[in-house]
Amino acid sequence: MKEYFSYYKEGKGITFSFKDNIVVKDIESVASSKILKGYKPVFDATVVTKVKKAGYDILGKTLQDEFGFGSFCTNLDTSFNTPRNPLHPDRVTGGSSGGAAGAAKKIKNHIAIAESTGGSIANPAAFCNVIGLTPTYGLVSRYGLIDYANSLDKIGVISSSLELVSLGLQKIAGYDEKDSTSVKVDIPDYTKRKVIKPVLGIPKGYLGIVDPVIKKDFEKVITSLKNKVVFKEVDLPLNKKYSVSTYYIIAMAEASTNLAKYTGLRYGFTKDFEKNDFNEFSSLVRSECFGEESKRRIMLGTFTRMAGYRDQYYDKALRVRRLLINEYKDVLKKVDGIIHPTMPIHPPKFEDVKDLKPLEVYNMDLLTVGANLAGLPHISMPIKASLPTGVMITTDHFEEKKLLDIGGLFE
Ligand code: GLN
């Protein structure tokens, strides 16, 4: 189980871990990036403070794609271990929170605190057959998160049972004056379950884009729940068409600005300055340390927000995002939640992801990016199938309690 961690220590009882991009005082916290190697934070993220105050043992920091850039937990520096799927070691864990999902599957009574920008909680939860809950944007403080894309990042929970997921959320949710995007809302008791008969919408056309085996397994679950849930068809045409491109433009633009602070001077990795000037020096450090995917995102992200291109790409993506949110909100007036498979594929084998083109990988996020762009809470529940498969349910903002109650019907 240590293979899921970049730092590990034994613990007792119900234990917690934190994705490597969540800072823990005095413990190397590097978002699985070489450029931060050696960085030991001088403070705890708010979620870490809360868990420590509650008295739980912390097992350590879980592996991830570098800065969260990826879907398989294979985009990390070679000095880190690449985690393997806990059920099928020749397959990936999913990402970017692959270490968190693997740890949640392998360790009894474990609550893995992870982070999602565009699906990094739901995706690995589905691939490792565990539960992943991504809360509403603003419900959980991100103070102390090594940011990927600030308008999208959310800290959430991965664990093996709904009971542990709700306990984890209970411990980390709530307003924090240190995070200006944190929202003041009443926090209900997430751990109490209520039996409800929800109306769930299946978006038109979404089953047509998933692997036929996943479609069949999903339909079986739907049929088996006919007495407990009312299913109906809903339509999210704009999300189906535009969510991936909108997400990647916004995420990369924000990521490229966030990565600008890593120059080899202030955090982590550095080199002897010698006689190089600053630009030369930081180029050397950045060329050596950033992985291929990070470099790609810096270049594409910088391009989309450059003078002359900004209104064609970044500004337009922001406007489209508003339309996508409105579309979700309209549908959620008519149903309690939206349901579809979490991922269009099963966890792929390592040998099959090596040669995938970036766009092919990005397109696999189609089912998870919409809810993330809209800041809507969503949960991935594992279902019975020959290979790990999840169903993802999305509710309206701050309806985590309802989301957990709906999750109960699938457990
Ligand atoms: N796969 C998506 C990406 O690479 C989501 C990652 C995430 O949520 N951190 O951006």
Side-chain angles (χ1 to χ4, degrees), residues 214-250:
I214 293 181
K215 178 171 184 263
K216 239 195 178 154
D217 288 331
F218 178 82
E219 283 168 344
K220 259 194 226 151
V221 172
I222 299 302
T223 312
S224 72
L225 283 171
K226 282 263 153 73
N227 295 328
K228 296 180 176 169
V229 179
V230 179
F231 292 103
K232 60 190 245 184
E233 190 179 70
V234 294
D235 205 3
L236 292 168
L238 294 177
N239 273 277
K240 186 162 179 269
K241 194 158 177 203
Y242 298 113
S243 61
V244 172
S245 43
T246 308
Y247 167 78
Y248 274 99
I249 289 173
I250 295 173

mmCIF file of all heavy atoms in Angstrom, residues 214-250:
data_model
loop_
_atom_site.group_PDB
_atom_site.id
_atom_site.type_symbol
_atom_site.label_atom_id
_atom_site.label_comp_id
_atom_site.label_asym_id
_atom_site.label_seq_id
_atom_site.Cartn_x
_atom_site.Cartn_y
_atom_site.Cartn_z
ATOM 1 N N ILE A 214 -19.660 -0.806 -20.606
ATOM 2 C CA ILE A 214 -20.033 0.136 -19.548
ATOM 3 C C ILE A 214 -21.504 0.527 -19.683
ATOM 4 O O ILE A 214 -22.240 0.595 -18.704
ATOM 5 C CB ILE A 214 -19.104 1.378 -19.594
ATOM 6 C CG1 ILE A 214 -17.681 0.948 -19.218
ATOM 7 C CG2 ILE A 214 -19.621 2.505 -18.698
ATOM 8 C CD1 ILE A 214 -16.650 2.040 -19.194
ATOM 9 N N LYS A 215 -21.939 0.730 -20.911
ATOM 10 C CA LYS A 215 -23.342 1.081 -21.160
ATOM 11 C C LYS A 215 -24.262 -0.023 -20.613
ATOM 12 O O LYS A 215 -25.229 0.257 -19.916
ATOM 13 C CB LYS A 215 -23.547 1.253 -22.669
ATOM 14 C CG LYS A 215 -24.956 1.569 -23.077
ATOM 15 C CD LYS A 215 -25.018 1.930 -24.572
ATOM 16 C CE LYS A 215 -26.408 2.353 -24.974
ATOM 17 N NZ LYS A 215 -27.213 1.315 -25.579
ATOM 18 N N LYS A 216 -23.891 -1.260 -20.910
ATOM 19 C CA LYS A 216 -24.710 -2.394 -20.471
ATOM 20 C C LYS A 216 -24.746 -2.491 -18.949
ATOM 21 O O LYS A 216 -25.803 -2.669 -18.348
ATOM 22 C CB LYS A 216 -24.087 -3.685 -21.036
ATOM 23 C CG LYS A 216 -25.016 -4.465 -21.920
ATOM 24 C CD LYS A 216 -24.429 -5.809 -22.089
ATOM 25 C CE LYS A 216 -25.159 -6.792 -22.884
ATOM 26 N NZ LYS A 216 -24.146 -7.744 -23.414
ATOM 27 N N ASP A 217 -23.564 -2.374 -18.324
ATOM 28 C CA ASP A 217 -23.503 -2.453 -16.859
ATOM 29 C C ASP A 217 -24.295 -1.318 -16.218
ATOM 30 O O ASP A 217 -24.953 -1.501 -15.198
ATOM 31 C CB ASP A 217 -22.036 -2.408 -16.381
ATOM 32 C CG ASP A 217 -21.297 -3.713 -16.690
ATOM 33 O OD1 ASP A 217 -21.972 -4.766 -16.733
ATOM 34 O OD2 ASP A 217 -20.078 -3.682 -16.894
ATOM 35 N N PHE A 218 -24.201 -0.149 -16.821
ATOM 36 C CA PHE A 218 -24.940 1.017 -16.310
ATOM 37 C C PHE A 218 -26.451 0.753 -16.417
ATOM 38 O O PHE A 218 -27.198 0.964 -15.469
ATOM 39 C CB PHE A 218 -24.543 2.261 -17.123
ATOM 40 C CG PHE A 218 -25.270 3.512 -16.741
ATOM 41 C CD1 PHE A 218 -24.850 4.273 -15.656
ATOM 42 C CD2 PHE A 218 -26.381 3.952 -17.464
ATOM 43 C CE1 PHE A 218 -25.517 5.443 -15.297
ATOM 44 C CE2 PHE A 218 -27.055 5.110 -17.107
ATOM 45 C CZ PHE A 218 -26.618 5.863 -16.023
ATOM 46 N N GLU A 219 -26.878 0.243 -17.559
ATOM 47 C CA GLU A 219 -28.312 -0.001 -17.755
ATOM 48 C C GLU A 219 -28.849 -1.057 -16.789
ATOM 49 O O GLU A 219 -29.987 -0.974 -16.332
ATOM 50 C CB GLU A 219 -28.582 -0.399 -19.215
ATOM 51 C CG GLU A 219 -28.547 0.836 -20.109
ATOM 52 C CD GLU A 219 -28.519 0.527 -21.607
ATOM 53 O OE1 GLU A 219 -28.218 -0.640 -21.978
ATOM 54 O OE2 GLU A 219 -28.779 1.448 -22.395
ATOM 55 N N LYS A 220 -27.982 -2.026 -16.475
ATOM 56 C CA LYS A 220 -28.390 -3.055 -15.499
ATOM 57 C C LYS A 220 -28.689 -2.423 -14.145
ATOM 58 O O LYS A 220 -29.659 -2.763 -13.483
ATOM 59 C CB LYS A 220 -27.246 -4.081 -15.337
ATOM 60 C CG LYS A 220 -27.485 -5.369 -16.108
ATOM 61 C CD LYS A 220 -26.497 -6.420 -15.620
ATOM 62 C CE LYS A 220 -25.865 -7.145 -16.792
ATOM 63 N NZ LYS A 220 -24.532 -7.640 -16.548
ATOM 64 N N VAL A 221 -27.813 -1.507 -13.738
ATOM 65 C CA VAL A 221 -28.003 -0.836 -12.447
ATOM 66 C C VAL A 221 -29.302 -0.027 -12.462
ATOM 67 O O VAL A 221 -30.083 -0.057 -11.513
ATOM 68 C CB VAL A 221 -26.798 0.089 -12.142
ATOM 69 C CG1 VAL A 221 -27.068 0.938 -10.912
ATOM 70 C CG2 VAL A 221 -25.544 -0.741 -11.926
ATOM 71 N N ILE A 222 -29.517 0.665 -13.549
ATOM 72 C CA ILE A 222 -30.728 1.480 -13.681
ATOM 73 C C ILE A 222 -31.969 0.593 -13.537
ATOM 74 O O ILE A 222 -32.903 0.913 -12.793
ATOM 75 C CB ILE A 222 -30.741 2.207 -15.064
ATOM 76 C CG1 ILE A 222 -29.519 3.133 -15.188
ATOM 77 C CG2 ILE A 222 -32.040 2.970 -15.306
ATOM 78 C CD1 ILE A 222 -29.399 4.180 -14.134
ATOM 79 N N THR A 223 -31.953 -0.533 -14.231
ATOM 80 C CA THR A 223 -33.101 -1.444 -14.174
ATOM 81 C C THR A 223 -33.303 -1.953 -12.750
ATOM 82 O O THR A 223 -34.429 -2.027 -12.255
ATOM 83 C CB THR A 223 -32.870 -2.645 -15.128
ATOM 84 O OG1 THR A 223 -32.446 -2.124 -16.382
ATOM 85 C CG2 THR A 223 -34.115 -3.465 -15.321
ATOM 86 N N SER A 224 -32.206 -2.280 -12.070
ATOM 87 C CA SER A 224 -32.341 -2.847 -10.726
ATOM 88 C C SER A 224 -32.850 -1.818 -9.713
ATOM 89 O O SER A 224 -33.297 -2.177 -8.638
ATOM 90 C CB SER A 224 -31.002 -3.427 -10.267
ATOM 91 O OG SER A 224 -30.114 -2.384 -9.972
ATOM 92 N N LEU A 225 -32.766 -0.540 -10.076
ATOM 93 C CA LEU A 225 -33.188 0.489 -9.114
ATOM 94 C C LEU A 225 -34.534 1.126 -9.458
ATOM 95 O O LEU A 225 -34.941 2.101 -8.836
ATOM 96 C CB LEU A 225 -32.114 1.582 -9.034
ATOM 97 C CG LEU A 225 -30.878 1.214 -8.205
ATOM 98 C CD1 LEU A 225 -29.792 2.259 -8.380
ATOM 99 C CD2 LEU A 225 -31.231 1.076 -6.733
ATOM 100 N N LYS A 226 -35.225 0.544 -10.421
ATOM 101 C CA LYS A 226 -36.491 1.131 -10.905
ATOM 102 C C LYS A 226 -37.510 1.410 -9.806
ATOM 103 O O LYS A 226 -38.310 2.341 -9.909
ATOM 104 C CB LYS A 226 -37.118 0.216 -11.981
ATOM 105 C CG LYS A 226 -36.449 0.367 -13.343
ATOM 106 C CD LYS A 226 -37.232 1.321 -14.257
ATOM 107 C CE LYS A 226 -36.396 2.016 -15.297
ATOM 108 N NZ LYS A 226 -35.941 1.178 -16.404
ATOM 109 N N ASN A 227 -37.480 0.604 -8.719
ATOM 110 C CA ASN A 227 -38.458 0.826 -7.640
ATOM 111 C C ASN A 227 -38.032 1.916 -6.666
ATOM 112 O O ASN A 227 -38.845 2.426 -5.918
ATOM 113 C CB ASN A 227 -38.663 -0.470 -6.839
ATOM 114 C CG ASN A 227 -39.288 -1.536 -7.694
ATOM 115 O OD1 ASN A 227 -40.070 -1.222 -8.598
ATOM 116 N ND2 ASN A 227 -38.935 -2.787 -7.433
ATOM 117 N N LYS A 228 -36.757 2.237 -6.685
ATOM 118 C CA LYS A 228 -36.258 3.190 -5.683
ATOM 119 C C LYS A 228 -35.962 4.576 -6.250
ATOM 120 O O LYS A 228 -35.764 5.537 -5.501
ATOM 121 C CB LYS A 228 -34.967 2.632 -5.072
ATOM 122 C CG LYS A 228 -35.192 1.342 -4.299
ATOM 123 C CD LYS A 228 -33.885 0.865 -3.732
ATOM 124 C CE LYS A 228 -34.096 -0.371 -2.872
ATOM 125 N NZ LYS A 228 -32.829 -0.997 -2.532
ATOM 126 N N VAL A 229 -35.861 4.622 -7.571
ATOM 127 C CA VAL A 229 -35.493 5.883 -8.217
ATOM 128 C C VAL A 229 -36.406 6.098 -9.424
ATOM 129 O O VAL A 229 -36.764 5.140 -10.096
ATOM 130 C CB VAL A 229 -34.023 5.815 -8.724
ATOM 131 C CG1 VAL A 229 -33.618 7.110 -9.415
ATOM 132 C CG2 VAL A 229 -33.045 5.497 -7.597
ATOM 133 N N VAL A 230 -36.791 7.345 -9.673
ATOM 134 C CA VAL A 230 -37.509 7.641 -10.915
ATOM 135 C C VAL A 230 -36.473 8.146 -11.922
ATOM 136 O O VAL A 230 -35.794 9.146 -11.670
ATOM 137 C CB VAL A 230 -38.593 8.722 -10.685
ATOM 138 C CG1 VAL A 230 -39.304 9.045 -11.984
ATOM 139 C CG2 VAL A 230 -39.562 8.275 -9.601
ATOM 140 N N PHE A 231 -36.303 7.449 -13.013
ATOM 141 C CA PHE A 231 -35.334 7.881 -14.030
ATOM 142 C C PHE A 231 -36.070 8.566 -15.171
ATOM 143 O O PHE A 231 -37.154 8.140 -15.569
ATOM 144 C CB PHE A 231 -34.557 6.676 -14.572
ATOM 145 C CG PHE A 231 -33.630 6.064 -13.556
ATOM 146 C CD1 PHE A 231 -33.973 4.884 -12.905
ATOM 147 C CD2 PHE A 231 -32.412 6.667 -13.243
ATOM 148 C CE1 PHE A 231 -33.121 4.317 -11.964
ATOM 149 C CE2 PHE A 231 -31.558 6.111 -12.297
ATOM 150 C CZ PHE A 231 -31.915 4.929 -11.658
ATOM 151 N N LYS A 232 -35.466 9.631 -15.674
ATOM 152 C CA LYS A 232 -36.039 10.221 -16.893
ATOM 153 C C LYS A 232 -34.916 10.783 -17.758
ATOM 154 O O LYS A 232 -33.781 10.945 -17.283
ATOM 155 C CB LYS A 232 -37.084 11.277 -16.551
ATOM 156 C CG LYS A 232 -36.590 12.468 -15.736
ATOM 157 C CD LYS A 232 -37.789 13.256 -15.289
ATOM 158 C CE LYS A 232 -37.789 14.633 -15.938
ATOM 159 N NZ LYS A 232 -38.903 15.457 -15.454
ATOM 160 N N GLU A 233 -35.236 11.047 -18.992
ATOM 161 C CA GLU A 233 -34.200 11.578 -19.881
ATOM 162 C C GLU A 233 -34.129 13.098 -19.735
ATOM 163 O O GLU A 233 -35.154 13.766 -19.632
ATOM 164 C CB GLU A 233 -34.506 11.202 -21.328
ATOM 165 C CG GLU A 233 -33.337 11.509 -22.242
ATOM 166 C CD GLU A 233 -33.622 11.115 -23.694
ATOM 167 O OE1 GLU A 233 -34.459 11.772 -24.334
ATOM 168 O OE2 GLU A 233 -32.989 10.156 -24.165
ATOM 169 N N VAL A 234 -32.921 13.620 -19.691
ATOM 170 C CA VAL A 234 -32.740 15.076 -19.704
ATOM 171 C C VAL A 234 -31.789 15.412 -20.854
ATOM 172 O O VAL A 234 -31.229 14.510 -21.496
ATOM 173 C CB VAL A 234 -32.179 15.598 -18.352
ATOM 174 C CG1 VAL A 234 -33.191 15.398 -17.239
ATOM 175 C CG2 VAL A 234 -30.851 14.942 -18.003
ATOM 176 N N ASP A 235 -31.596 16.700 -21.077
ATOM 177 C CA ASP A 235 -30.760 17.083 -22.216
ATOM 178 C C ASP A 235 -29.735 18.130 -21.792
ATOM 179 O O ASP A 235 -30.088 19.135 -21.174
ATOM 180 C CB ASP A 235 -31.677 17.644 -23.323
ATOM 181 C CG ASP A 235 -31.032 17.501 -24.696
ATOM 182 O OD1 ASP A 235 -29.930 16.920 -24.785
ATOM 183 O OD2 ASP A 235 -31.634 17.999 -25.683
ATOM 184 N N LEU A 236 -28.470 17.856 -22.091
ATOM 185 C CA LEU A 236 -27.392 18.824 -21.820
ATOM 186 C C LEU A 236 -26.583 19.025 -23.106
ATOM 187 O O LEU A 236 -25.383 18.742 -23.155
ATOM 188 C CB LEU A 236 -26.471 18.295 -20.711
ATOM 189 C CG LEU A 236 -27.008 18.168 -19.283
ATOM 190 C CD1 LEU A 236 -26.051 17.358 -18.411
ATOM 191 C CD2 LEU A 236 -27.207 19.553 -18.661
ATOM 192 N N PRO A 237 -27.240 19.515 -24.160
ATOM 193 C CA PRO A 237 -26.571 19.550 -25.464
ATOM 194 C C PRO A 237 -25.309 20.422 -25.485
ATOM 195 O O PRO A 237 -24.311 20.052 -26.109
ATOM 196 C CB PRO A 237 -27.643 20.099 -26.405
ATOM 197 C CG PRO A 237 -28.627 20.795 -25.523
ATOM 198 C CD PRO A 237 -28.612 20.045 -24.229
ATOM 199 N N LEU A 238 -25.357 21.556 -24.787
ATOM 200 C CA LEU A 238 -24.183 22.444 -24.817
ATOM 201 C C LEU A 238 -23.016 21.804 -24.080
ATOM 202 O O LEU A 238 -21.871 21.861 -24.523
ATOM 203 C CB LEU A 238 -24.515 23.799 -24.183
ATOM 204 C CG LEU A 238 -25.537 24.656 -24.928
ATOM 205 C CD1 LEU A 238 -25.809 25.932 -24.152
ATOM 206 C CD2 LEU A 238 -25.025 24.994 -26.331
ATOM 207 N N ASN A 239 -23.312 21.188 -22.943
ATOM 208 C CA ASN A 239 -22.241 20.539 -22.200
ATOM 209 C C ASN A 239 -21.625 19.407 -23.005
ATOM 210 O O ASN A 239 -20.412 19.220 -23.009
ATOM 211 C CB ASN A 239 -22.763 20.016 -20.852
ATOM 212 C CG ASN A 239 -22.701 21.088 -19.784
ATOM 213 O OD1 ASN A 239 -21.659 21.293 -19.177
ATOM 214 N ND2 ASN A 239 -23.786 21.817 -19.590
ATOM 215 N N LYS A 240 -22.476 18.653 -23.669
ATOM 216 C CA LYS A 240 -21.968 17.523 -24.444
ATOM 217 C C LYS A 240 -21.004 18.016 -25.519
ATOM 218 O O LYS A 240 -19.960 17.439 -25.765
ATOM 219 C CB LYS A 240 -23.145 16.768 -25.069
ATOM 220 C CG LYS A 240 -22.761 15.499 -25.788
ATOM 221 C CD LYS A 240 -23.979 14.596 -25.989
ATOM 222 C CE LYS A 240 -23.585 13.339 -26.745
ATOM 223 N NZ LYS A 240 -23.718 13.481 -28.194
ATOM 224 N N LYS A 241 -21.355 19.141 -26.113
ATOM 225 C CA LYS A 241 -20.553 19.633 -27.232
ATOM 226 C C LYS A 241 -19.345 20.466 -26.795
ATOM 227 O O LYS A 241 -18.272 20.392 -27.410
ATOM 228 C CB LYS A 241 -21.473 20.475 -28.136
ATOM 229 C CG LYS A 241 -20.904 20.767 -29.486
ATOM 230 C CD LYS A 241 -21.986 21.094 -30.493
ATOM 231 C CE LYS A 241 -21.338 21.463 -31.826
ATOM 232 N NZ LYS A 241 -22.213 22.266 -32.641
ATOM 233 N N TYR A 242 -19.506 21.272 -25.752
ATOM 234 C CA TYR A 242 -18.461 22.273 -25.476
ATOM 235 C C TYR A 242 -17.704 22.127 -24.162
ATOM 236 O O TYR A 242 -16.778 22.896 -23.913
ATOM 237 C CB TYR A 242 -19.081 23.685 -25.508
ATOM 238 C CG TYR A 242 -19.666 24.045 -26.849
ATOM 239 C CD1 TYR A 242 -21.032 24.216 -27.007
ATOM 240 C CD2 TYR A 242 -18.840 24.202 -27.960
ATOM 241 C CE1 TYR A 242 -21.579 24.533 -28.243
ATOM 242 C CE2 TYR A 242 -19.372 24.529 -29.200
ATOM 243 C CZ TYR A 242 -20.744 24.691 -29.326
ATOM 244 O OH TYR A 242 -21.271 25.006 -30.553
ATOM 245 N N SER A 243 -18.104 21.185 -23.298
ATOM 246 C CA SER A 243 -17.472 21.222 -21.967
ATOM 247 C C SER A 243 -15.980 20.893 -22.008
ATOM 248 O O SER A 243 -15.193 21.512 -21.297
ATOM 249 C CB SER A 243 -18.218 20.335 -20.971
ATOM 250 O OG SER A 243 -18.220 19.007 -21.390
ATOM 251 N N VAL A 244 -15.557 19.951 -22.844
ATOM 252 C CA VAL A 244 -14.131 19.593 -22.852
ATOM 253 C C VAL A 244 -13.276 20.761 -23.334
ATOM 254 O O VAL A 244 -12.289 21.135 -22.691
ATOM 255 C CB VAL A 244 -13.870 18.333 -23.716
ATOM 256 C CG1 VAL A 244 -12.378 18.085 -23.873
ATOM 257 C CG2 VAL A 244 -14.519 17.111 -23.078
ATOM 258 N N SER A 245 -13.670 21.384 -24.446
ATOM 259 C CA SER A 245 -12.836 22.490 -24.951
ATOM 260 C C SER A 245 -12.869 23.685 -24.001
ATOM 261 O O SER A 245 -11.843 24.316 -23.735
ATOM 262 C CB SER A 245 -13.265 22.891 -26.365
ATOM 263 O OG SER A 245 -14.657 22.942 -26.449
ATOM 264 N N THR A 246 -14.050 23.969 -23.440
ATOM 265 C CA THR A 246 -14.142 25.099 -22.497
ATOM 266 C C THR A 246 -13.266 24.837 -21.278
ATOM 267 O O THR A 246 -12.501 25.699 -20.829
ATOM 268 C CB THR A 246 -15.611 25.284 -22.044
ATOM 269 O OG1 THR A 246 -16.419 25.353 -23.203
ATOM 270 C CG2 THR A 246 -15.779 26.538 -21.223
ATOM 271 N N TYR A 247 -13.381 23.612 -20.760
ATOM 272 C CA TYR A 247 -12.592 23.265 -19.570
ATOM 273 C C TYR A 247 -11.097 23.401 -19.839
ATOM 274 O O TYR A 247 -10.367 24.021 -19.065
ATOM 275 C CB TYR A 247 -12.921 21.827 -19.117
ATOM 276 C CG TYR A 247 -11.914 21.314 -18.109
ATOM 277 C CD1 TYR A 247 -11.978 21.710 -16.772
ATOM 278 C CD2 TYR A 247 -10.872 20.466 -18.494
ATOM 279 C CE1 TYR A 247 -11.042 21.270 -15.849
ATOM 280 C CE2 TYR A 247 -9.927 20.027 -17.580
ATOM 281 C CZ TYR A 247 -10.020 20.430 -16.256
ATOM 282 O OH TYR A 247 -9.079 20.009 -15.350
ATOM 283 N N TYR A 248 -10.630 22.817 -20.917
ATOM 284 C CA TYR A 248 -9.175 22.812 -21.133
ATOM 285 C C TYR A 248 -8.623 24.207 -21.427
ATOM 286 O O TYR A 248 -7.491 24.507 -21.071
ATOM 287 C CB TYR A 248 -8.770 21.765 -22.190
ATOM 288 C CG TYR A 248 -8.579 20.415 -21.495
ATOM 289 C CD1 TYR A 248 -9.567 19.452 -21.504
ATOM 290 C CD2 TYR A 248 -7.417 20.153 -20.764
ATOM 291 C CE1 TYR A 248 -9.407 18.246 -20.827
ATOM 292 C CE2 TYR A 248 -7.243 18.960 -20.081
ATOM 293 C CZ TYR A 248 -8.236 18.001 -20.120
ATOM 294 O OH TYR A 248 -8.068 16.828 -19.432
ATOM 295 N N ILE A 249 -9.414 25.066 -22.045
ATOM 296 C CA ILE A 249 -8.928 26.438 -22.253
ATOM 297 C C ILE A 249 -8.789 27.156 -20.906
ATOM 298 O O ILE A 249 -7.746 27.733 -20.589
ATOM 299 C CB ILE A 249 -9.863 27.216 -23.206
ATOM 300 C CG1 ILE A 249 -9.719 26.662 -24.624
ATOM 301 C CG2 ILE A 249 -9.534 28.719 -23.185
ATOM 302 C CD1 ILE A 249 -10.709 27.213 -25.631
ATOM 303 N N ILE A 250 -9.828 27.062 -20.080
ATOM 304 C CA ILE A 250 -9.787 27.765 -18.783
ATOM 305 C C ILE A 250 -8.722 27.147 -17.869
ATOM 306 O O ILE A 250 -7.908 27.852 -17.261
ATOM 307 C CB ILE A 250 -11.178 27.747 -18.113
ATOM 308 C CG1 ILE A 250 -12.169 28.552 -18.959
ATOM 309 C CG2 ILE A 250 -11.109 28.314 -16.690
ATOM 310 C CD1 ILE A 250 -13.609 28.469 -18.498
#
